[in-house]
Amino acid sequence: MFENLSERLGSVFDRLTKQGALTPEDVKAALREVRVALLEADVSLPVARDFIKAVEEKATGQAVTKSVTPGQQVVKIVHDALIDVLKGDGEPEALKIDNPPAPVLMVGLQGSGKTTTTAKLAKRLKEKNGKRVLMASLDTNRPAAMEQLQILGQQIGVDTLPIVKGESAVQIAKRAKQQATLGGYDVYMLDTAGRLHIDEVLMDEVQAVRDAVSPRETLLVVDGLTGQDAVNVATEFDGKVGITGVVLTRMDGDGRGGAALSMRAVTGKPIRFVGLGEKMEAIETFEAERVAGRILG
Ligand code: GDP
């Protein structure tokens, strides 16, 4: 869908930039196509509507400067409006890590890439920011998930909390806090249990963990390919747990533009990072400029 959006906007603006003068009808026609393209890219209807409205308001009554063609001017207005929606407030230091040990809570559905992202961020904090990081898996129902984090930890040279059978998620979180304090860590990352769908038990558990450690950051990990579902998941998690930011994974796949736009517009939460593959280095700070540029092609 990303390719479609990009190509489509590209062809619309290509047409416009080839015309010397731009009539109001041309602008309307262009924005109609932008709107359709946004919807096809899985941007939600209200978001697409608001976006188009903002662009129209900006375009209306704006004198066309001599240095650019009217088409280029519309491209710039659309580009700026995309940035307005997409811009985050965490860049370039995407995570607030202070008052050590700072707890970072990782939440999200099973399969979203939560454990992978936890390890990717831990590696980043260690290598880019020089932080001492401790990771702990709270997924008491899935021993394999706990082991997965341990294996990733060994791979990237980041400590994980030793696994103790029979503990609850809250007990593990408290032990992580204690070990992080005693061990002089800067950050401890809690990889909470995911479920296939949002359910009460999951939310109660995450709330209890949150209350036990008062996280500095609560990052929601969502699959960027799931479009509108990702936005619904974010709305649910934000309402129940309160999130400070979002990580969109699988942005190396096909569905790039739409989810980011809706996510930012609907939740109002900054997209801190994007996951770009399975490797431990495959994570980047979310950059509005780059994504807006990509959407416009
Ligand atoms: P969890 O159940 O949410 O903890 O999900 P995992 O971290 O186990 O990830 C599920 C699968 O998605 C694994 O095979 C990961 O390698 C893969 N994955 C995670 N993030 C990305 C990403 O950004 N891009 C791609 N292509 N795969 C990813």
Side-chain angles (χ1 to χ4, degrees):
M1 63 185 154
F2 171 67
E3 262 68 33
N4 282 345
L5 175 63
S6 172
E7 278 165 21
R8 193 162 184 146
L9 291 179
S11 71
V12 169
F13 293 122
D14 201 36
R15 265 206 319 277
L16 288 178
T17 46
K18 279 178 185 145
Q19 291 174 352
L22 196 69
T23 67
E25 289 73 32
D26 288 331
V27 176
K28 269 214 170 326
L31 292 183
R32 237 187 336 261
E33 290 209 45
V34 171
R35 182 172 177 274
V36 171
L38 291 174
L39 294 178
E40 283 177 357
D42 213 9
V43 175
S44 71
L45 184 60
V47 172
R49 224 186 255 145
D50 286 354
F51 179 79
I52 296 298
K53 207 166 139 230
V55 173
E56 240 176 347
E57 276 168 15
K58 271 191 196 158
T60 310
Q62 209 182 84
V64 177
T65 48
K66 290 212 173 72
S67 56
V68 295
T69 65
Q72 283 168 334
Q73 187 134 344
V74 175
V75 173
K76 182 166 185 339
I77 293 164
V78 172
H79 178 263
D80 290 351
L82 274 173
I83 302 248
D84 271 355
V85 180
L86 291 173
K87 70 178 175 226
D89 51 3
E91 298 160 10
E93 243 355 271
L95 291 183
K96 294 189 201 88
I97 301 298
D98 51 16
N99 300 332
V104 174
L105 197 59
M106 305 295 291
V107 301
L109 296 185
Q110 193 175 313
S112 59
K114 190 160 32 64
T115 301
T116 310
T117 303
T118 302
K120 283 178 178 176
L121 285 178
K123 177 175 156 66
R124 205 185 145 97
L125 283 167
K126 176 187 152 204
E127 291 175 5
K128 274 192 106 144
N129 307 88
K131 302 289 184 194
R132 286 197 68 212
V133 186
L134 176 70
M135 304 190 292
S137 170
L138 309 187
D139 203 340
T140 53
N141 294 322
R142 290 196 307 150
M146 294 187 140
E147 281 158 27
Q148 187 196 348
L149 190 70
Q150 211 168 37
I151 291 165
L152 290 175
Q154 282 160 5
Q155 206 178 304
I156 59 174
V158 167
D159 293 342
T160 47
L161 190 72
I163 296 170
V164 175
K165 287 204 174 96
E167 277 185 334
S168 70
V170 169
Q171 284 171 328
I172 301 172
K174 285 183 175 164
R175 190 158 56 87
K177 181 180 182 176
Q178 191 182 38
Q179 173 139 345
T181 308
L182 295 175
Y185 289 89
D186 298 303
V187 189
Y188 60 104
M189 306 187 70
L190 303 177
D191 181 15
T192 62
R195 300 280 198 280
L196 292 176
H197 306 285
I198 285 177
D199 63 43
E200 285 301 313
V201 180
L202 168 73
M203 288 301 176
D204 288 351
E205 185 178 289
V206 180
Q207 280 173 354
V209 169
R210 175 200 62 193
D211 294 344
V213 301
S214 304
R216 191 73 184 86
E217 295 270 0
T218 301
L219 293 183
L220 174 73
V221 180
V222 279
D223 182 343
L225 291 180
T226 59
Q228 191 52 44
D229 279 346
V231 181
N232 295 339
V233 166
T235 308
E236 283 275 336
F237 268 94
D238 194 32
K240 299 254 164 61
V241 190
I243 59 175
T244 58
V246 177
V247 181
L248 281 180
T249 62
R250 300 207 175 81
M251 295 291 272
D252 47 313
D254 283 338
R256 284 172 281 196
L261 194 66
S262 295
M263 181 65 75
R264 194 66 182 86
V266 173
T267 66
K269 301 292 175 182
I271 302 168
R272 303 281 203 204
F273 299 96
V274 293
L276 295 166
E278 304 207 356
K279 294 216 173 83
M280 285 293 105
E281 318 45 62
I283 190 157
E284 285 179 8
T285 314
F286 178 82
E287 280 176 33
E289 277 281 350
R290 195 186 307 160
V291 175
R294 277 197 214 150
I295 288 172
L296 290 178

